[in-house]
Amino acid sequence: QVQLVESGGGLAQPGESLTLSCVASGNIFRIATMSWYRQSPGRERELVATITDDHKRNYTGSVKGRFTISRDDTKNTMSLRMNKIKPEDTAVYYCTADVFEIVSGSIRYYPSPFWGKGTAVIVSS
């Protein structure tokens, strides 16, 4: 069973930096697109950043120039470097992955991405 586990969240002051990490485990053949989402209380879940398997990156407007998404396909990991963080970045951050899994000797692609359980980021002075 594929699992995603996020880490790196915590309490930070405005202007500081944080790096979130996501590790995918299981019988993974390949991971296509990986993404970070976030959700803060009372708000809808928001797509923050996406990185494809050929490392094309996209960001939501509010984090462009501040956040950097990256991945290491040799380790099935993804990270989100968050610079100059703001109080409005406060949220639970989730990683997602489109996975090709090895199942009984065959490759299975899941049309819906796998999700981690999230890591909380609190930005406050």
Side-chain angles (χ1 to χ4, degrees):
Q1 180 69 20
V2 173
Q3 290 186 327
L4 302 180
V5 178
E6 304 94 336
S7 62
L11 177 64
Q13 294 189 349
E16 292 185 338
S17 297
L18 277 177
T19 298
L20 306 183
S21 298
C22 173
V23 179
S25 62
N27 293 326
I28 297 171
F29 174 73
R30 186 171 72 87
I31 299 177
T33 298
M34 302 184 79
S35 300
W36 287 98
Y37 285 78
R38 67 185 179 187
Q39 187 167 24
S40 53
R43 300 185 66 177
E44 292 188 356
R45 187 177 294 169
E46 175 188 30
L47 176 61
V48 177
T50 294
I51 184 167
T52 63
D53 50 1
D54 58 353
H55 292 226
K56 292 179 182 176
R57 298 168 172 86
N58 279 293
Y59 301 92
T60 191
S62 61
V63 308
K64 279 183 180 178
R66 299 190 298 121
F67 290 10
T68 301
I69 189 172
S70 60
R71 60 190 284 172
D72 184 340
D73 295 323
T74 65
K75 299 178 181 178
N76 290 331
T77 60
M78 175 177 64
S79 65
L80 184 69
R81 175 68 173 176
M82 307 164 61
N83 292 328
K84 300 178 181 178
I85 51 178
K86 304 175 181 180
E88 51 263 45
D89 295 322
T90 294
V92 177
Y93 286 73
Y94 302 89
C95 71
T96 73
D98 294 324
V99 175
F100 291 82
E101 185 183 21
I102 300 171
V103 180
S104 301
S106 299
I107 306 301
R108 175 183 295 176
Y109 175 70
Y110 295 87
S112 297
F114 287 87
W115 287 74
K117 294 183 178 180
T119 185
V121 173
I122 301 172
V123 184
S124 175
S125 55

